[in-house]
Amino acid sequence: MAKKTIDQVDVAGKTVLMRVDFNVPLDDDQTISDDRRIRMAMPSITSVVDRGGRLVLMSHLGRPKGEGDDAKFSLAPAATRLSKILGKPVAFASDTVGDDATSKAKALKDGDVLVLENLRFNAGEKKGDKDFAGKLAALADVYCNDAFGTCHRSDASMVAVPEAMSSKPRVVGHLVAKEIAYLSDTISNASRPFVAILGGAKVSDKINVINNLLGICDAVMIGGAMAYTFSMAKGGKVGNSLVEEDKVALAKELIAKGGDKLLLPIDSHCGDDFKADCNKQVVEDGEIPDGWQGLDIGPKTSAKFADVLKNAKTIVWNGPMGVFEMPPFDAGTKAVAQAVADSDATSIIGGGDSAAAVEQLGFAEQVSHVSTGGGASLAMLEGKAFAAVDLLDEA
C-alpha cells in the first residue's frame, strides 16, 4: 500500500493543502492541555515550510453541533501553539472556505503557514459535500493527508477534496505513511508467531477485528470486560461483571471458530464495587460470586499471556486488560505491557485506551509503534479498505 509522500513532491512556490489531526484537548479557558497531535504533524509541516512551500492546514476539533457554543471548538488555540512550536508567525483564518480563508491563502508567501477554522463548523465536512470540497481544493496545488485518526471516515476533507484535486499531486504525510507501514504492511507480511491482544469493554466493538485476526494470527488473547461475555458463553458465573448478553451466542461462535488460537482468561481479579478501595479477590474464570464484578485479568492469566508473548515475532495490541486507570486493577495491563516491551517482536499498539495505557505506564518508548488513531487502527485491523488513502498517488 505504498503511497507517494510529501517529501517526494516539489513544493517550492506551491500551496499545499494538508489535512492534519489537531483535535487537541482544550480546558475551559481554551488552553491546550496536550499538544502531542500538533507535535506529531511537525515532520510533515516542516517538510513543506523548509522547502519553500506555502502551507494551508485544515482539521476538525471536537463535535460542534452549531448550537451557539461553537467558539469553544475553535482551532485558534492550535494555530497559536503551532506558531510557538515552529518559532514563526502562523496565520489563522476565521472560516474554512469564506473570504477570510481565501484571501489569507492567496496572500501566503513561500514558507508561510495558515490554519483554517474548524472544518466541522461547515455542515459540508461531515456530509462529504462536493461543493464544499471544491472550494477547499481550489486553495491549493498539492493535497497531503497526514490525519490518520480520520482515515477511516468519508468526510469531505478526507475523500471529496482529494477527488476534486485528481489532476494535482495527492500524497501522504509522515504520520500516515508510518501508520500504513506498521498497521497495513507489517500485518500483511507478519513475522511469526503473530499474536494479537484484544481488550476493552465490548465484544460488539471488536467482532470484525476478532474474526479477521483469528484468520491471520497464531494466537488471539482476550482481556478486558469483553472477556466476561466469553465467560458467560462458556456457562461461567460472572456476577455483576459488564457483559453483553445479546452477544453471548456470537461469543460461542468465536470460541468454536478460534479453537486453540483463542486464548481466554483463566482467572479474574474482582471487586465488590467499582472503586479502588473496594474489597478484592482473585477467582478462577467463571466463578465470580454474586455481587462481585471482574475488573482485571488475574495473575495466572497475566503469566500465561506473558509466556506466549515471550516468543512472538509480531504483536498487535488493542484495548486494556482491565480498569487500568484504577490501581490495583491496572496489574493485568501492566504485566502485558511489560511482556510486550520485553519481547523482540515488532509491536504495534492500537490507538485509544491501549495507547493511553502504554503512555501512562511508561512503555511507549519500548514498543515499535503506538498508533495515533483508535477507530482508524481498529478499522485497519478489520482489514477494511480506506478510500481516503486508496485514492492517493502510488509511490
Side-chain angles (χ1 to χ4, degrees):
M1 203 201 266
K3 296 291 174 179
K4 191 172 278 189
T5 71
I6 189 64
D7 293 352
Q8 295 169 292
V9 182
D10 177 17
V11 297
K14 295 175 181 171
T15 303
V16 177
L17 181 63
M18 185 181 293
R19 178 53 158 99
V20 289
D21 183 3
F22 283 1
N23 186 23
V24 291
L26 296 168
D27 64 21
D28 293 340
D29 301 322
Q30 298 302 99
T31 302
I32 296 171
S33 54
D34 180 359
D35 64 7
R36 194 168 72 101
R37 286 182 169 171
I38 297 174
R39 292 184 180 278
M40 291 184 86
M42 291 309 295
S44 298
I45 290 170
T46 54
S47 173
V48 175
V49 171
D50 291 351
R51 293 183 294 137
R54 306 167 183 194
L55 186 59
V56 178
L57 297 170
M58 56 178 177
S59 177
H60 74 284
L61 193 156
R63 295 177 178 171
K65 295 185 170 66
E67 294 171 353
D69 62 348
D70 280 1
K72 71 181 184 184
F73 297 111
S74 175
L75 277 168
T80 303
R81 182 63 61 90
L82 175 61
S83 173
K84 192 176 289 185
I85 295 168
L86 260 179
K88 61 183 286 178
V90 169
F92 178 70
S94 59
D95 53 28
T96 47
V97 293
D99 293 342
D100 197 42
T102 306
S103 61
K104 283 178 177 168
K106 279 182 183 166
L108 289 174
K109 294 185 169 54
D110 296 355
D112 284 354
V113 181
L114 168 67
V115 175
L116 303 180
E117 185 52 285
N118 192 340
L119 287 164
R120 289 185 181 172
F121 285 178
N122 190 303
E125 167 67 357
K126 290 298 289 175
K127 291 176 182 172
D129 183 75
K130 285 183 165 45
D131 182 52
F132 174 57
K135 290 174 182 173
L136 283 167
L139 298 174
D141 309 301
V142 177
Y143 173 83
C144 177
N145 177 350
D146 205 32
F148 181 72
T150 44
C151 275
H152 60 311
R153 302 193 184 280
S154 55
D155 296 357
S157 61
M158 302 301 298
V159 176
V161 171
E163 282 177 343
M165 296 176 73
S166 58
S167 61
K168 300 171 181 177
R170 303 172 300 174
V171 300
V172 295
H174 288 242
L175 199 57
V176 171
K178 187 181 179 193
E179 295 277 8
I180 291 170
Y182 275 105
L183 280 160
S184 178
D185 302 347
T186 300
I187 288 169
S188 58
N189 300 292
S191 299
R192 297 186 178 276
F194 179 13
V195 179
I197 313 157
L198 297 173
K202 295 181 176 179
V203 180
S204 52
D205 290 344
K206 307 264 168 81
I207 293 164
N208 296 330
V209 179
I210 296 169
N211 257 322
N212 188 46
L213 293 178
L214 281 173
I216 59 177
C217 288
D218 299 296
V220 177
M221 302 171 176
I222 303 291
M226 69 175 179
Y228 303 112
T229 301
F230 284 93
S231 186
M232 183 180 272
K234 294 192 296 177
K237 289 168 60 182
V238 295
N240 291 349
S241 302
L242 186 63
V243 293
E244 292 174 281
E245 294 193 25
D246 61 331
K247 295 292 180 286
V248 170
L250 182 76
K252 285 180 182 174
E253 288 174 25
L254 290 169
I255 290 168
K257 177 182 177 177
D260 293 343
K261 271 190 187 183
L262 190 67
L263 304 180
L264 298 169
I266 52 177
D267 60 347
S268 183
H269 197 177
C270 311
D272 63 355
D273 199 356
F274 191 82
K275 55 186 183 182
D277 62 352
C278 64
N279 294 308
K280 305 167 188 73
Q281 62 174 316
V282 174
V283 299
E284 298 297 304
D285 175 58
E287 294 181 14
I288 298 174
D290 293 344
W292 291 68
Q293 56 186 308
L295 297 171
D296 192 16
I297 57 173
K300 286 197 281 191
T301 305
S302 294
K304 175 186 172 185
F305 285 5
D307 196 48
V308 173
L309 292 167
K310 194 164 47 182
N311 300 311
K313 289 289 178 277
T314 306
I315 298 169
V316 173
W317 181 9
N318 193 295
M321 298 291 96
V323 188
F324 74 94
E325 310 93 335
M326 188 168 72
F329 301 112
D330 59 348
T333 302
K334 199 178 281 185
V336 167
Q338 185 72 62
V340 172
D342 289 346
S343 77
D344 296 325
T346 298
S347 48
I348 303 162
I349 313 300
D353 282 344
S354 31
V358 168
E359 292 277 351
Q360 186 178 310
L361 298 171
F363 291 102
E365 300 303 315
Q366 294 167 261
V367 298
S368 306
H369 179 63
V370 180
S371 178
T372 56
S377 65
L378 266 182
M380 203 164 259
L381 292 179
E382 283 179 33
K384 280 185 178 176
F386 288 3
V389 175
D390 290 345
L391 55 71
L392 302 178
D393 300 345
E394 299 290 333

